[in-house]
Amino acid sequence: MAEISEAPDSDSSKLLGSDSKAPQRPDSEPEFDPKLMRKTKPGLKRLFLTFSVLFSFLLGFPFLWKSVEIYRSPLPFREIDSLSTQLRSDTLLFPLHFHALFVGFDSDPDRLRWSILSEITKLTSQNPKCSDNYTLSVTVDLGSRCLRGPTSSPHSSSYQCGSVTGDDFVQNDDVVVDERLASVFGGKNNEYSMAVVKGVSERAVVGKYRHAWMVVGDGSDVEMAVVKVAEVLIKVFINGGREEGLIRNEFMPVGADGKIVLSFNLLNADPHDWVYDWDFEKIDDTLLTPMIEALGPVANISVESQVLYHTPKASFSYWNQKLESYVFSTKDLPFFVNSNEWHLDTSIAAGGRSKILQFAVYVPSAKECPLLLQLPNGEISKTNGFISPMWGGVIVWNPQGCLKDSEFKPSAKNIIPIQDLENMFEVFIGQFRQLFGFKSLNVYTGASGDWNLLPSERGFTEWELDVLSRQHTCFNLHSCATTLGSLSRLVQSLPRMIIKDEIGKQVKLSLEAAKLALSNASSGVYEFSAASSSQARSLAEDAFFHPSIMSVSYYSFEHCFAVYSPFFLPVSMHVVLAALRELRRYKQEKAKYLAWKAKANTAT
Amino acid sequence: MVLLQRPHILLLLIGTHQFLQCWIAFGSVNEEGQKQEEFSEELLLKPLPDHKLLAHFHFQSSGPPSTSNGCHHHLFPKAISQLVQKFRIKEMELSFTKGRWNYESWGGFDPLSSSNAKPPGVELWAVFDVPQHHIDASWKNLTHTLSGLFCASINFLESTATYSTPEWSFPPASGNVRYGTLPCEAVCTENLTPWLKLLPCRDKAGIALLLDRPSLYRGFYHSQQLHLTSTGSSSEGIDSGIILEQTLTVVLQPNSEMAIEVHASEKHIQPSWSLSSIFGKQVSGRCVLAKPSSVYLLLDRGLSAANGLTSENFWSNPSFELSANPDRIFLEESSSHSKSLSILYMFQVEKYCESEPFDIGLMWKVPVAWLCQQTPLHASRFLMGSGNERAAIAISLKSTQFTEGFMSANSKDGSCELRVDVFQVVPWYVKVYFHSLRVFVDQQPRAVSDIIEKIHVSPSKDKMSPGVMEVVLKLPCRVNTAALTIEFDKGFLRIDEYLPDANQGFDIPSAIISFPNFHASMVFLEDDSLNKSPLLSKFQEKCPVMSYTEVLLVPLTTPDFSMPYNVITITCTVFALYFGSLLNVLQRRVAEEERFLKAKAAKKTGRLPLLLSKLSAKLRGSGINQN
């Protein structure tokens, strides 16, 4: 108040001064120029006022920013990064144990062990994703006593000396031998046994359980056997006997929720010619159910079937006189599946992210019957079918009647003979194995010789299931890490995205499950690690595909700007301009005052 | 057990492994013969009085009980069976309709119209076999699934504000029913294609070949329905599996090219038509999976009476000519309340093939005029009042002359009464005052309690649930007109609750007027073949006569949608002005400016600047002087 009342006074004195400056100026202060100097100190009041307004605006700005900020649940970015680096740095090791049993050999077990280990290291390909942490024990059975590799190994000591003799392998029935060995080795989890026996008939067989055996001739030497042992351990028991580059290992046809729906379709290309039906229930019970039970730890599989009509194929086939049949070649395969007419349908019964594998039996019409698939080398395919990775498989089945085209009633309802149906489903199981990356042949051809693989009536042998569950865990963990990594990158790149608490919770649970899977895997509990890894993956997918993520991107910064700019733009202009003007004026006036002061000083 | 033993006997007899397996394969099918999946396709053609033609496609698939075959299907659509199993649907009906059924000229008293005339847009109702508290969840999932299955926005029925729970007036009277409509849903080919996908032959063969999209959607009325009944997993004991009825009802205008040729004086003659002229296609044989596959031509009671057809002379009729000879002719069983009888001509599609396609035509020789049998009361609904605040809904019922005789026949004792059920759903923003319900009979106001026998009202909750009104009216038989009026306030909606086209108005779904004492059914003689035809056995079922009223369009106050932004802008500008001037005042130096001006004035002698400065000094000076 004092300042305000003071100001007009000074102004009025100035006014008075300027009014009466003509008579007064010459005598009092001759050099005083009101344009360049002033006597009073310039007032700070207006400057203070404008700057306080400016500062209050600047101070208020963070509050405004905070109030328009959107809610983002804090995501554990660092933990996500550490999970992916942990997985990348190859610490996912599956502990395995190999046990090699030599019957009828008289060699030092430690020497054998070292030579096998050196062969193994030669064969081990560097799998970039997951690797195995294996131990090896060697037992040489001399009948009455055993020489054990590492004498204190807990694994090899469980083997009773003399329980496997060369006489067990004399008979030619591999299945009997397999059962005999199964009772000897017990078949514990993650323990693989290999028996090398001297005998008459040379054979090399991989059993249904977790062991293999080899009968070598009397004269053959141990080194040869060692190479083969190492090969079967690495290539068959660890890699599942699959060839590199056939189907990439990361492909697992399992849905994000750990479910597979096998949808079987019987496609009648033209029902005017003939209509075929099948007795699916019977096949389901006899062939598919054991396989589904066997695959239980890897995936939850459900089966459904339908018969469709008027479903022509989309590719062309041509008449081959020599084969007396219509032929389509492998280069037509991409166009064989007619997605317009084959409404195979995604299943309503399956949940959102289940994997649906379609298996189709194509019954050609009379115009194109019999229809055969020609391989690139000119041969005719034995199975007359093909697979499409991650989609399913197709088999062409030619009805009996179309070859003879007599005594064949059109449009009569026919049933596919049960024998044909069984063959067809054996092919389907083979295709299903192929979709998982296994071979459908019963022979494994390695570098050192052929191995007979005993097929299981359940479709998948135990060691194959082990391979699958290891691979499944590995695949799930990697896919979980990539999904979470993409989510964290997405979230960090879009700062104006709302992230609900639910997403944060899912990410956290997914990380926990992934950690549990990692620890279970390294302690060798495969089943639990497979389960928790699939849980981790499904939670990560849930978080990534959460419906609230997509709806947010509409609330943009532009919108916020458009709402607030009509107020802040004019006001800030005023405030800033006023502050600048006041500052300029203050500087100017101060210069005047200083000039007068300097003059006054010199005058005095 | 007997069946299991038989193969063993055969094994002893023949002893060949191969043959046995084949025998089992065939045997198992024969054994399940009676509960196999079946499919039938039928088409019913019916000339309508106003020179139009009704075509009613009826496809029926039946699946055996789900327990016996699980998830394996041979004919029955997999998607539907999975839908039923997943949501445990007891009964469901979904209809897509374009156009409005003309009750006055197309009739309302026959089974065809009372079950196939549907309100425009989408109508869905479903009965669930789940505990009470799960029904709403099932309904929501069902709407989403159907919406994906039929490419329609059925998922809008998910919110509780759009569907209702009829207590007793809705025909499948049960507490587990949910009912919802979308009156403004546009229906087009993208809804028809998934519907056709459920048929085993789709539109590749059989009667469905006729479904030529351009001619279908050119029609006056088009209703595509899906009705499914399932008794699977119910406690009633009888397990008949799932029955899926797919019907498509179209009303078309036959191309009257042939009629033009005849003399102008014979303009009243009905247009002649044939399948190929209506649909542009012919039926080249049946769908091989369909049993039976037949086409019917129905001449209803009025038409046969106008033609002078009686049970004696229907073989040789004078007024029209059919291009193909019917395989059978059915005559309606004589009923008590009608003198004339409907006649049904049946054509079996099986006999025709690609080289000799089936194409039935009808040539009229003399002009014929007749009337269709109508509902006892003709219902219409309209809005009363103007303005954006309040209005009233009126449902008016008008007696049709047709049924008068029937009603008098029905009155045995003096107190003849006509029962009418009204089921009306209103969206929540139409705030109905149920106390304002008034009843007029023959234009005389009557006490509500005299006329209304039973009423059930569930008031709407804002943004939560729609208002439902179920009324049973007891009207005297001799009534000429009756009307129900009820007032309502128009609610305010939030800006995001308006439809994209807000100025168009909001639809109030059709009311359902049903006459529970009247049953529409057609019983045809010669029963031996009737149990084969699902369409005719459907006609035999007694279904209550039902009609839908018009959809009402209520204009609500439409806000200016840019208003929030305008408000923001203007308030911000006002604030900015205020702020700016305040700041200006705070930092102004009045005295200094004045002195500056004076100094300027003293210096400058120019005319104009002097004048200007004087003016401004005057303007300012006055303020200063006052201070």
Side-chain angles (χ1 to χ4, degrees), chain A residues 377-428:
Chain A
N377 58 12
E379 282 176 34
I380 292 300
S381 164
K382 277 182 201 132
T383 58
N384 217 6
F386 60 92
I387 62 162
S388 164
M390 302 302 277
W391 182 83
V394 175
I395 295 179
V396 178
W397 179 76
N398 295 306
Q400 285 293 314
C402 77
L403 300 168
K404 288 166 260 167
D405 70 343
S406 60
E407 105 260 346
F408 202 71
K409 280 174 278 166
S411 80
K413 203 155 188 181
N414 309 292
I415 301 285
I416 297 180
I418 201 90
Q419 193 65 45
D420 282 18
L421 202 60
E422 269 170 13
N423 292 341
M424 215 183 283
F425 274 78
E426 274 159 22
V427 176
F428 273 143

Coordinates of all heavy atoms in Angstrom, one line a residue, chain A residues 377-428:
Chain A
N377 N 10.1 -86.4 -57.5 CA 11.0 -87.4 -58.2 C 10.2 -88.3 -59.2 O 10.7 -89.2 -59.7 CB 11.8 -88.2 -57.3 CG 10.9 -89.0 -56.3 OD1 9.7 -89.1 -56.5 ND2 11.5 -89.5 -55.3
G378 N 8.9 -88.0 -59.4 CA 8.2 -88.8 -60.3 C 7.4 -89.9 -59.8 O 6.6 -90.5 -60.4
E379 N 7.8 -90.3 -58.5 CA 7.1 -91.4 -57.9 C 5.7 -91.0 -57.4 O 5.4 -89.8 -57.3 CB 7.9 -92.0 -56.7 CG 9.1 -92.8 -57.1 CD 9.9 -93.2 -55.9 OE1 9.3 -93.4 -54.9 OE2 11.1 -93.3 -56.1
I380 N 4.9 -92.0 -57.1 CA 3.6 -91.7 -56.6 C 3.7 -91.9 -55.1 O 4.2 -92.8 -54.5 CB 2.6 -92.7 -57.2 CG1 2.4 -92.4 -58.7 CG2 1.2 -92.6 -56.5 CD1 1.9 -91.0 -59.0
S381 N 3.1 -90.9 -54.4 CA 3.2 -90.9 -52.9 C 2.4 -92.1 -52.4 O 1.3 -92.5 -52.9 CB 2.5 -89.6 -52.4 OG 2.2 -89.7 -51.1
K382 N 3.0 -92.7 -51.4 CA 2.4 -93.9 -50.8 C 1.2 -93.5 -49.9 O 0.2 -94.2 -49.9 CB 3.4 -94.7 -50.0 CG 4.3 -95.6 -50.8 CD 5.2 -96.4 -49.9 CE 6.4 -96.9 -50.7 NZ 7.6 -96.6 -50.0
T383 N 1.4 -92.4 -49.2 CA 0.3 -92.1 -48.3 C -0.8 -91.3 -49.0 O -1.9 -91.2 -48.6 CB 0.8 -91.2 -47.2 OG1 1.5 -90.1 -47.8 CG2 1.8 -92.0 -46.4
N384 N -0.4 -90.7 -50.2 CA -1.4 -89.9 -51.0 C -1.8 -88.7 -50.1 O -3.0 -88.3 -50.2 CB -2.6 -90.7 -51.4 CG -3.0 -90.3 -52.8 OD1 -2.4 -89.5 -53.4 ND2 -4.1 -90.9 -53.3
G385 N -1.0 -88.2 -49.4 CA -1.4 -87.1 -48.5 C -0.2 -86.1 -48.3 O 0.9 -86.4 -48.7
F386 N -0.5 -85.0 -47.7 CA 0.6 -84.0 -47.4 C 0.2 -83.3 -46.1 O -0.9 -83.3 -45.7 CB 0.8 -83.1 -48.6 CG -0.4 -82.3 -48.9 CD1 -0.7 -81.0 -48.4 CD2 -1.4 -82.8 -49.8 CE1 -1.8 -80.3 -48.7 CE2 -2.5 -82.1 -50.1 CZ -2.7 -80.8 -49.6
I387 N 1.2 -82.6 -45.6 CA 0.9 -81.8 -44.4 C 1.3 -80.3 -44.7 O 2.0 -80.0 -45.6 CB 1.7 -82.2 -43.1 CG1 3.2 -82.1 -43.4 CG2 1.3 -83.6 -42.7 CD1 4.0 -82.1 -42.1
S388 N 0.7 -79.5 -44.0 CA 1.0 -78.1 -44.0 C 1.3 -77.7 -42.6 O 0.5 -77.8 -41.7 CB -0.2 -77.3 -44.6 OG 0.0 -76.0 -44.3
P389 N 2.6 -77.3 -42.3 CA 2.9 -77.0 -40.9 C 2.0 -76.0 -40.3 O 1.7 -75.0 -40.9 CB 4.4 -76.5 -41.0 CG 4.9 -77.1 -42.3 CD 3.7 -77.1 -43.2
M390 N 1.7 -76.3 -39.1 CA 0.9 -75.4 -38.2 C -0.6 -75.4 -38.7 O -1.4 -74.7 -38.1 CB 1.4 -74.0 -38.1 CG 2.8 -73.8 -37.6 SD 2.9 -74.5 -35.9 CE 2.3 -73.2 -34.9
W391 N -0.9 -76.0 -39.8 CA -2.3 -76.0 -40.3 C -2.9 -77.4 -40.1 O -4.0 -77.6 -39.5 CB -2.4 -75.6 -41.7 CG -3.8 -75.5 -42.2 CD1 -4.7 -74.5 -42.1 CD2 -4.5 -76.5 -43.0 NE1 -5.9 -74.8 -42.7 CE2 -5.8 -76.1 -43.3 CE3 -4.1 -77.8 -43.4 CZ2 -6.7 -76.8 -44.0 CZ3 -5.1 -78.5 -44.1 CH2 -6.4 -78.0 -44.4
G392 N -2.2 -78.4 -40.6 CA -2.8 -79.8 -40.5 C -2.4 -80.6 -41.7 O -1.3 -80.4 -42.3
G393 N -3.2 -81.6 -42.0 CA -2.8 -82.5 -43.1 C -4.0 -82.9 -44.0 O -5.2 -82.7 -43.6
V394 N -3.7 -83.3 -45.2 CA -4.8 -83.7 -46.1 C -4.4 -85.1 -46.7 O -3.2 -85.4 -46.9 CB -4.9 -82.7 -47.3 CG1 -5.9 -83.2 -48.3 CG2 -5.2 -81.3 -46.8
I395 N -5.4 -86.0 -46.8 CA -5.2 -87.2 -47.4 C -6.2 -87.3 -48.5 O -7.4 -87.0 -48.3 CB -5.4 -88.4 -46.4 CG1 -4.3 -88.4 -45.3 CG2 -5.3 -89.7 -47.2 CD1 -4.5 -89.5 -44.4
V396 N -5.8 -87.8 -49.7 CA -6.7 -88.1 -50.7 C -7.1 -89.6 -50.7 O -6.2 -90.4 -50.7 CB -6.2 -87.7 -52.1 CG1 -7.1 -88.1 -53.2 CG2 -5.8 -86.3 -52.1
W397 N -8.3 -89.9 -50.5 CA -8.8 -91.3 -50.5 C -9.6 -91.6 -51.7 O -10.6 -90.9 -51.9 CB -9.5 -91.6 -49.2 CG -10.0 -93.0 -49.1 CD1 -9.3 -94.1 -48.8 CD2 -11.3 -93.4 -49.3 NE1 -10.0 -95.2 -48.8 CE2 -11.3 -94.8 -49.1 CE3 -12.5 -92.8 -49.7 CZ2 -12.4 -95.6 -49.3 CZ3 -13.7 -93.6 -49.8 CH2 -13.6 -95.0 -49.6
N398 N -9.2 -92.6 -52.5 CA -9.9 -92.9 -53.7 C -10.9 -94.1 -53.4 O -10.4 -95.1 -52.9 CB -9.0 -93.3 -54.8 CG -8.1 -92.2 -55.2 OD1 -8.6 -91.1 -55.6 ND2 -6.8 -92.3 -55.1
P399 N -12.1 -93.9 -53.6 CA -13.1 -95.0 -53.3 C -12.8 -96.2 -54.3 O -12.3 -96.0 -55.4 CB -14.4 -94.4 -53.5 CG -14.2 -93.1 -54.2 CD -12.8 -92.7 -54.0
Q400 N -13.1 -97.3 -53.8 CA -12.8 -98.6 -54.5 C -13.5 -98.5 -55.9 O -13.0 -98.9 -56.9 CB -13.3 -99.8 -53.7 CG -12.4 -100.1 -52.6 CD -11.1 -100.7 -53.0 OE1 -11.0 -101.5 -54.0 NE2 -10.0 -100.2 -52.4
G401 N -14.8 -98.1 -55.8 CA -15.6 -98.2 -57.0 C -15.1 -97.4 -58.2 O -15.4 -97.8 -59.4
C402 N -14.4 -96.4 -58.0 CA -14.1 -95.5 -59.2 C -13.1 -96.1 -60.1 O -12.9 -95.7 -61.2 CB -13.6 -94.1 -58.7 SG -12.0 -94.1 -58.1
L403 N -12.4 -97.2 -59.6 CA -11.5 -97.9 -60.5 C -12.2 -98.7 -61.5 O -11.8 -98.8 -62.6 CB -10.5 -98.7 -59.6 CG -9.7 -97.9 -58.6 CD1 -9.0 -98.9 -57.6 CD2 -8.7 -97.1 -59.3
K404 N -13.2 -99.4 -61.0 CA -13.9 -100.3 -61.9 C -15.1 -99.7 -62.6 O -15.6 -100.1 -63.6 CB -14.4 -101.5 -61.1 CG -13.3 -102.4 -60.6 CD -13.7 -103.4 -59.6 CE -13.3 -102.9 -58.2 NZ -13.9 -103.6 -57.1
D405 N -15.6 -98.6 -62.1 CA -16.8 -97.9 -62.5 C -17.9 -98.8 -62.9 O -18.6 -98.5 -63.9 CB -16.5 -96.8 -63.5 CG -16.0 -97.3 -64.9 OD1 -15.7 -98.5 -65.0 OD2 -16.1 -96.5 -65.8
S406 N -18.1 -99.9 -62.3 CA -19.2 -100.7 -62.5 C -19.8 -101.1 -61.2 O -19.2 -100.9 -60.1 CB -18.8 -102.0 -63.3 OG -17.9 -102.7 -62.5
E407 N -21.0 -101.6 -61.2 CA -21.7 -102.1 -60.0 C -21.6 -101.1 -58.9 O -21.5 -101.3 -57.7 CB -21.3 -103.5 -59.6 CG -20.4 -103.7 -58.4 CD -18.9 -103.9 -58.5 OE1 -18.5 -104.2 -59.7 OE2 -18.3 -103.8 -57.5
F408 N -21.6 -99.8 -59.3 CA -21.5 -98.8 -58.3 C -22.7 -97.9 -58.3 O -23.0 -97.2 -59.3 CB -20.2 -98.0 -58.6 CG -19.7 -97.3 -57.4 CD1 -19.1 -98.0 -56.4 CD2 -19.8 -95.9 -57.3 CE1 -18.6 -97.3 -55.3 CE2 -19.3 -95.2 -56.2 CZ -18.7 -96.0 -55.2
K409 N -23.4 -97.9 -57.2 CA -24.6 -97.1 -57.2 C -24.2 -95.6 -56.8 O -23.7 -95.4 -55.8 CB -25.5 -97.6 -56.1 CG -26.3 -98.9 -56.6 CD -27.1 -99.5 -55.5 CE -26.2 -100.3 -54.6 NZ -26.8 -100.7 -53.3
P410 N -24.6 -94.7 -57.7 CA -24.3 -93.3 -57.3 C -25.3 -92.9 -56.2 O -26.4 -93.4 -56.1 CB -24.5 -92.6 -58.6 CG -25.4 -93.4 -59.4 CD -25.2 -94.8 -59.0
S411 N -24.9 -91.9 -55.5 CA -25.7 -91.3 -54.4 C -26.1 -92.2 -53.3 O -26.9 -91.8 -52.5 CB -26.9 -90.6 -55.0 OG -27.9 -91.5 -55.3
A412 N -25.8 -93.5 -53.4 CA -26.1 -94.4 -52.3 C -25.1 -94.0 -51.2 O -24.0 -93.6 -51.4 CB -25.9 -95.8 -52.7
K413 N -25.6 -94.1 -50.0 CA -24.8 -93.7 -48.9 C -23.8 -94.8 -48.6 O -24.2 -95.9 -48.3 CB -25.6 -93.4 -47.7 CG -24.9 -92.5 -46.7 CD -25.9 -91.7 -45.9 CE -25.2 -90.6 -45.1 NZ -26.0 -89.9 -44.2
N414 N -22.5 -94.5 -48.7 CA -21.5 -95.5 -48.5 C -20.7 -95.2 -47.3 O -20.7 -94.1 -46.8 CB -20.5 -95.5 -49.7 CG -21.3 -95.6 -51.0 OD1 -21.9 -96.6 -51.3 ND2 -21.3 -94.5 -51.7
I415 N -20.1 -96.2 -46.7 CA -19.3 -96.1 -45.6 C -17.9 -96.4 -46.0 O -17.7 -97.4 -46.7 CB -19.7 -97.0 -44.4 CG1 -21.2 -96.7 -44.1 CG2 -18.8 -96.9 -43.2 CD1 -21.4 -95.5 -43.3
I416 N -16.9 -95.7 -45.6 CA -15.5 -96.0 -45.8 C -15.2 -97.3 -45.1 O -15.5 -97.4 -43.9 CB -14.6 -94.9 -45.4 CG1 -14.9 -93.6 -46.2 CG2 -13.1 -95.3 -45.6 CD1 -14.0 -92.4 -45.9
P417 N -14.7 -98.3 -45.8 CA -14.4 -99.6 -45.1 C -13.4 -99.3 -43.9 O -12.5 -98.5 -44.0 CB -13.7 -100.4 -46.1 CG -14.1 -99.8 -47.4 CD -14.4 -98.4 -47.2
I418 N -13.6 -100.1 -42.9 CA -12.9 -99.8 -41.6 C -11.4 -100.0 -41.8 O -10.6 -99.3 -41.2 CB -13.5 -100.7 -40.5 CG1 -13.1 -100.1 -39.1 CG2 -12.9 -102.1 -40.6 CD1 -14.1 -99.2 -38.6
Q419 N -11.0 -100.9 -42.7 CA -9.6 -101.2 -43.0 C -9.0 -99.9 -43.6 O -7.9 -99.5 -43.1 CB -9.5 -102.4 -43.9 CG -8.1 -102.9 -44.1 CD -7.6 -103.5 -42.7 OE1 -8.4 -104.3 -42.1 NE2 -6.5 -103.2 -42.3
D420 N -9.7 -99.4 -44.5 CA -9.1 -98.1 -45.2 C -9.1 -97.0 -44.1 O -8.1 -96.2 -44.1 CB -10.1 -97.7 -46.3 CG -9.9 -98.5 -47.5 OD1 -9.3 -99.6 -47.4 OD2 -10.3 -98.1 -48.6
L421 N -10.1 -97.0 -43.3 CA -10.1 -95.9 -42.3 C -9.0 -96.0 -41.3 O -8.3 -95.0 -41.0 CB -11.5 -96.0 -41.6 CG -11.9 -94.7 -40.9 CD1 -12.1 -93.6 -41.9 CD2 -13.2 -95.0 -40.2
E422 N -8.6 -97.3 -41.0 CA -7.5 -97.5 -40.1 C -6.2 -97.0 -40.7 O -5.4 -96.3 -40.1 CB -7.4 -98.9 -39.6 CG -8.2 -99.2 -38.4 CD -8.4 -100.7 -38.1 OE1 -7.6 -101.5 -38.7 OE2 -9.2 -101.0 -37.2
N423 N -6.1 -97.4 -42.0 CA -4.8 -97.0 -42.7 C -4.8 -95.5 -42.7 O -3.7 -94.9 -42.5 CB -4.9 -97.5 -44.1 CG -4.7 -99.0 -44.1 OD1 -4.3 -99.6 -43.2 ND2 -5.1 -99.7 -45.2
M424 N -5.9 -94.9 -43.0 CA -6.0 -93.4 -43.1 C -5.5 -92.8 -41.8 O -4.8 -91.8 -41.8 CB -7.4 -93.1 -43.4 CG -7.6 -92.0 -44.3 SD -9.4 -91.7 -44.4 CE -9.9 -93.0 -45.5
F425 N -6.0 -93.3 -40.7 CA -5.7 -92.7 -39.5 C -4.3 -93.0 -39.0 O -3.7 -92.2 -38.3 CB -6.7 -93.1 -38.4 CG -7.9 -92.2 -38.5 CD1 -8.8 -92.3 -39.4 CD2 -8.0 -91.1 -37.6 CE1 -9.9 -91.5 -39.5 CE2 -9.0 -90.3 -37.7 CZ -10.0 -90.4 -38.6
E426 N -3.7 -94.1 -39.5 CA -2.3 -94.3 -39.3 C -1.5 -93.2 -40.0 O -0.5 -92.7 -39.4 CB -1.9 -95.7 -39.7 CG -2.1 -96.7 -38.6 CD -2.2 -98.1 -39.1 OE1 -1.7 -98.4 -40.2 OE2 -2.8 -98.9 -38.3
V427 N -1.9 -92.9 -41.2 CA -1.2 -91.8 -41.9 C -1.4 -90.5 -41.2 O -0.5 -89.7 -41.0 CB -1.8 -91.7 -43.4 CG1 -1.2 -90.5 -44.1 CG2 -1.5 -93.0 -44.1
F428 N -2.6 -90.3 -40.7 CA -2.9 -89.1 -39.9 C -2.0 -88.9 -38.7 O -1.5 -87.9 -38.4 CB -4.4 -89.0 -39.5 CG -5.3 -88.4 -40.6 CD1 -6.5 -88.9 -40.7 CD2 -4.8 -87.3 -41.3 CE1 -7.4 -88.3 -41.7 CE2 -5.7 -86.8 -42.3 CZ -6.9 -87.3 -42.5

